[in-house]
């Protein structure tokens, strides 16, 4: 199964999901929470495996997309 590409869903994730993603980035081996997988499916129309983990490239993409907030 081909996973949806990160640029098709990251910009559209809810703020709550983007905040929850910080825990995933802190421990990428734990995988994505079910609620984030479900949100990605809604956004893209593509199924997401329940054991989905971020690739290094996806982690790098998220880091470059995050805005610095003072």
């Amino acid at each position: 199964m081909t996973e949806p590409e990160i640029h098709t869903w990251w910009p559209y994730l809810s703020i709550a999901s983007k905040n929850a993603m910080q825990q995933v980035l802190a421990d990428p081996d734990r995988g994505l929470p079910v609620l984030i997988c479900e949100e990605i499916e809604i956004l893209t129309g593509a199924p997401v495996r329940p054991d989905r983990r971020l690739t290094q490239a996806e982690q790098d993409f998220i880091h470059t997309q995050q805005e610095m907030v003072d």
Side-chain angles (χ1 to χ4, degrees):
M1 165 178 17
T2 302
E3 299 287 346
E5 294 184 25
I6 193 164
H7 68 274
T8 65
W9 54 266
W10 174 259
Y12 309 105
L13 276 184
S14 66
I15 296 298
S17 289
K18 285 185 176 181
N19 288 336
M21 192 66 80
Q22 296 309 307
Q23 294 175 353
V24 175
L25 292 172
D27 183 12
D29 290 333
R30 70 187 244 172
L32 297 179
V34 172
L35 292 176
I36 292 177
C37 291
E38 290 172 351
E39 190 170 342
I40 294 169
E41 287 184 23
I42 290 167
L43 290 168
T44 65
V48 177
R49 292 185 334 265
D51 62 341
R52 173 82 155 85
R53 287 174 172 66
L54 294 176
T55 65
Q56 185 61 52
E58 291 171 327
Q59 292 172 55
D60 294 344
F61 179 87
I62 292 170
H63 286 298
T64 63
Q65 296 298 307
Q66 292 177 329
E67 296 178 2
M68 298 294 283
V69 178
D70 292 324

